[in-house]
Amino acid sequence: MPALMVGAVLWCLLFVTSVRGWTEGTTADFFVSPIGSDAWSGTMAEPNEERSDGPFATLERARDAVRELDQRNRRDVLVLVRGGDYQLSQTIFFGSADSGRGEHAITYAAFPGETPVFRSGAEISGWRPVPSSMPGLPEAALGKVQVADVDESFATLFDSDGLLPRARSEGFIPLAGGSRSELRYPAGLLKETTRAGDIEIVVRPHHAWIVNILPVASIDHHMRIARTGVDATYAMNRLHFLKQTKSCWFENSLQYLDRPGEWVLDSEQRKLYLWPRSDSPVFAPQLAELVRVEGEVDKDGPADQPVRNLCFRGLTFMHARRYTVAADDAGLQHDWDLHDKATAMFRLRGAQQCRIEQCHFKHSGGGAIRVDLHGQKNTLSGNVIENIGGAGILLCGYGPGTKDVNRDNSVVNNCIHHVGQIYSHSPGIMVWQSGHNRIANNLVHHTPYTGIIVSGCMAHFFAKHGRELGRTIRWHELEGLARSPQREDVLPFLHTRDNRIEFNEIHHAMEMLGDGNAIYIRGAGSGNVIRGNYIHHLVAPMIMQAAIRTDGGQTDTLIAENLIYKCTSQGIILKLNNRCVNNIIADVIAPPRGYYLAVREGPMVDAVIQRNVFYASSDECTYIDELPPGNGHATEDRRGRTLARSKDAQTDRNIYYCAADPTLGRQMLERQQRDNVDAHSLAVDPLFVDPDNGDFRFRPESPAHALGIVPFDRSKAGLFDGDLP
């Protein structure tokens, strides 16, 4: 295992250890235990000798007991939860009646030194061998598959090692002529006797950045067309820029069950088929949400009454269902997640000043935490999120309109990795229609797609009414809006503004999909700051990715004081009037591309490119890449956009240096100065302490000091020990 990955694993192990080691004494108002009883008082940590009293058995009973407390003397309330498993058959709800009184908090916390685990996975029993004569099974599976009777339908399955893969076909390139509801597939993939049944299509429809999982409604074997019960986000054709990539497969048919760990569910016959990969018990999740904190939400109205002052600390959550896309769903940008839907284990929907701290989320079909609609001054900190099917953390406000009530939240010091194990586009953290938040000191690593997404709604979607973004728009609040508005027309309704994305560490993002980034922003409001982040080792060999990107139409964003090191393809993509200040971009991995700064959309009036260090060890480098005119066919101008030029920005006081061939930096600077920019910039060695080993501190004699370039403080980025400062 590479040393970098070992270090990340140790960080997360240390986090889990710190969660279990939390201590604040054993005095509490109520206790919950797997060996408790809801008929008892709940005021004792253990059953008494007579077993006539002791802790509660469920969190719901403790919640109800807190409601019954005499709160005339307002105070904090503590419920301690003993270690062990808590099997959930229904979602645990906390409503307005469960709020802390005044500014006092009600806390549900792990008993010191113990690990309570809440799960909805029910063990499957009654396994028996499948007859060797059973038709449809591949030869490799004969004598190895077991079957069990089941009562529920589910799309995810777990053993003690985590998610079990569903049986799937070989990957293929969709044939021409597909649409959002029709997939044309090559010969030999589906047997003539195959029924639609429970088969699903897993597809990247036309674009590299999205994965849809769609139920097959019917199959035309003669024409080789599979028709879906729900539309894809885009047409199911070959990928736009990656035409030779196998972007699609079928799942959940016996004909594909040919490897250990794979399984198939036949919901019509109520049978589950599994080729076991170990002797572990097998669990099918019962719930999409394990916990929901929900206030009185008036979704169409101007105001909500949130739940307040609840705290959840040191609890573990696992085994939730994978969500599915329904015909009437409203999608966020590119359907990367869905609006106001149960897609995560823990959901705050109408919540204020609530806290989720030092909890552990793992082995689930969907996401971990989402804060929906009204969500203000909530804190998500010190959590470990790993090995889940969806997104790590989602802040998801109301759609574009005048209602702006998802804001001022803190997402700090969380360890998030191996998300998107089912929906591969799912990021570590996503902020959508939510502003004035602080997303800081998180460690995000090993994601199939983007690490952190900051998003809202692009102007052209105000002329659309489809699933992606169109259905989120609050049309009743937008009277008088132009039929085809421009960005300046819709800016008042874009609430993803004034966020601080700072001091995060992101590595090994973009391991599977394409056209993504470590940090991405588009369709957001103004005033967002991406500062002090350490982004390194984006190593997947994909041409379409960058460490930080401002995408089409995004304005008024500051990208400052970040360290970008060994990231494939591109360092920063800059568009319009955004500002790129005091960043160190070192050793962009090339080929492909090797662009340190790619400017892509103009006009760049008021854009800033200043006090950056562009450092290359290899001579395969392009410091600032500008697109040539495409005559309407090849580049940004084909969309009617002005091409970007660094000479149109305030470009100066940068350092360009190539250790392998210093003349490349000098040539770059000469070109820039002929365009009357970079007047005070230098093409000299910035004199880092040890760039070959990733130490980008400046030596005392570095020329960066005279240019006013602030050194990157590595100690401020990523996880920190202890409680919040």
Side-chain angles (χ1 to χ4, degrees), residues 48 58 158 204 230 294 308 313 315 350 379 383 482 499 563 587 659 671 697 718:
N48 60 16
T58 67
F158 302 90
R204 296 162 68 181
V230 179
E294 184 168 31
R308 298 174 185 267
R313 182 185 295 125
L315 310 176
T379 298
N383 301 291
N499 292 290
L563 171 57
D587 287 340
R671 288 194 299 270
R697 292 175 296 166

Side-chain angles (χ1 to χ4, degrees), residues 290-490:
L290 304 190
V291 177
R292 185 194 295 187
V293 175
E294 184 168 31
E296 298 172 23
V297 171
D298 183 1
K299 194 167 181 180
D300 293 326
D304 308 311
Q305 297 300 317
V307 179
R308 298 174 185 267
N309 301 331
L310 293 183
C311 176
F312 301 86
R313 182 185 295 125
L315 310 176
T316 295
F317 302 93
M318 59 191 297
H319 291 174
R321 288 177 180 263
R322 184 204 97 197
Y323 64 91
T324 57
V325 180
D328 60 349
D329 277 336
L332 310 186
Q333 182 180 346
H334 299 317
D335 289 342
W336 283 328
D337 215 306
L338 299 171
H339 187 257
D340 193 26
K341 182 162 177 167
T343 66
M345 284 184 274
F346 203 119
R347 187 179 186 192
L348 302 177
R349 186 179 187 267
Q352 192 159 324
Q353 292 175 282
C354 292
R355 307 175 73 91
I356 302 175
E357 301 175 341
Q358 300 175 6
C359 290
H360 193 181
F361 299 84
K362 61 180 180 177
H363 301 318
S364 181
I369 306 171
R370 59 182 295 158
V371 180
D372 278 326
L373 305 179
H374 185 118
Q376 293 185 26
K377 299 181 180 179
N378 300 295
T379 298
L380 314 176
S381 68
N383 301 291
V384 176
I385 298 171
E386 59 181 341
N387 297 306
I388 60 173
I393 294 173
L394 171 63
L395 304 182
C396 185
Y398 282 96
T402 59
K403 193 171 185 179
D404 178 13
V405 292
N406 197 300
R407 54 191 295 149
D408 300 302
N409 301 291
S410 295
V411 180
V412 178
N413 209 34
N414 301 283
C415 178
I416 304 171
H417 65 95
H418 293 91
V419 298
Q421 300 298 288
I422 295 176
Y423 286 104
S424 307
H425 53 256
S426 300
I429 300 170
M430 184 170 182
V431 180
W432 187 86
Q433 282 291 98
S434 180
H436 303 270
N437 303 295
R438 185 168 187 256
I439 315 297
N441 291 102
N442 301 286
L443 171 61
V444 181
H445 65 92
H446 290 91
T447 64
Y449 189 55
T450 296
I452 298 177
I453 291 174
V454 183
S455 174
C457 186
M458 290 69 74
H460 63 276
F461 278 91
F462 285 78
K464 300 182 179 182
H465 293 80
R467 182 175 69 214
E468 181 189 354
L469 291 173
R471 294 177 188 167
T472 71
I473 297 172
R474 296 174 65 80
W475 298 106
H476 63 287
E477 296 176 351
L478 302 180
E479 293 183 10
L481 188 67
R483 179 170 295 181
S484 298
Q486 301 302 305
R487 177 170 168 82
E488 56 269 22
D489 300 319
V490 303

Side-chain angles (χ1 to χ4, degrees), residues 112-151:
E114 298 186 2
T115 304
V117 179
F118 294 86
R119 67 174 84 209
S120 84
E123 184 176 350
I124 303 294
S125 59
W127 293 102
R128 56 193 183 275
V130 168
S132 58
S133 59
M134 181 176 176
L137 276 179
E139 185 175 346
L142 296 179
K144 300 182 176 67
V145 175
Q146 297 182 342
V147 62
D149 298 320
V150 294
D151 295 326

Side-chain angles (χ1 to χ4, degrees), residues 82-131:
R82 303 301 303 264
D85 281 359
Y86 295 84
Q87 180 72 41
L88 302 181
S89 58
Q90 59 185 9
T91 301
I92 304 172
F93 285 92
F94 294 85
S96 298
D98 303 306
S99 293
R101 303 299 197 272
E103 295 303 311
H104 293 282
I106 298 173
T107 299
Y108 298 85
F111 192 90
E114 298 186 2
T115 304
V117 179
F118 294 86
R119 67 174 84 209
S120 84
E123 184 176 350
I124 303 294
S125 59
W127 293 102
R128 56 193 183 275
V130 168

